[in-house]
Amino acid sequence: MVYVRGTVVKGPDLFADYDYRPYVCLSDDSHPFSAEEGLYAAVTTTQRAEAIELTDSDFSSGGLPRESYVNPWTVVSIRHADLQGREGSPEDETTDKIARVAAGYLGVE
């Protein structure tokens, strides 16, 4: 399954010893291998000043069961085949904010 930009998915936990971790899909079909993989920002339950909080009101559908924060500096490429399902979809404005902040960490203003 290919996930569209803004979808929160369950993917492999690349940073800790858990079965999975939520991620927000930031890429769209302009990604060179969009049929096979996408770019995702890691979601955590650890509150950090620079992280972007995801509240229930940020979601247009679905959501997350715990208080969650996106680390926009932690962007990874994940193959769609390695994803374990969909958690929900934040509002477009929330996804755009995460992408803008992530781009800032790459030197894009």
Side-chain angles (χ1 to χ4, degrees), residues 6-82:
T7 305
V8 176
V9 297
K10 290 194 309 190
D13 192 338
L14 304 173
F15 310 103
D17 197 22
Y18 296 105
D19 292 337
Y20 70 90
R21 165 181 300 279
Y23 296 88
V24 178
C25 182
L26 296 180
S27 58
D28 59 20
D29 61 3
S30 68
H31 184 287
F33 302 99
S34 64
E36 299 165 21
E37 63 187 42
L39 296 173
Y40 294 85
V43 177
T44 181
T45 57
T46 303
Q47 184 177 9
R48 294 180 174 89
E50 300 84 2
I52 298 170
E53 185 176 13
L54 285 180
T55 65
D56 289 341
S57 64
D58 290 318
F59 283 85
S60 58
S61 67
L64 292 167
R66 298 172 63 189
E67 191 172 283
S68 299
Y69 305 87
V70 179
N71 292 342
W73 58 88
T74 307
V75 177
V76 297
S77 180
I78 303 176
R79 296 181 55 80
H80 300 308
D82 294 331

Side-chain angles (χ1 to χ4, degrees), residues 87-104:
E87 296 282 351
S89 294
E91 298 286 345
D92 290 343
E93 296 81 22
T94 302
T95 302
D96 290 344
K97 176 182 179 179
I98 296 164
R100 275 193 312 276
V101 174

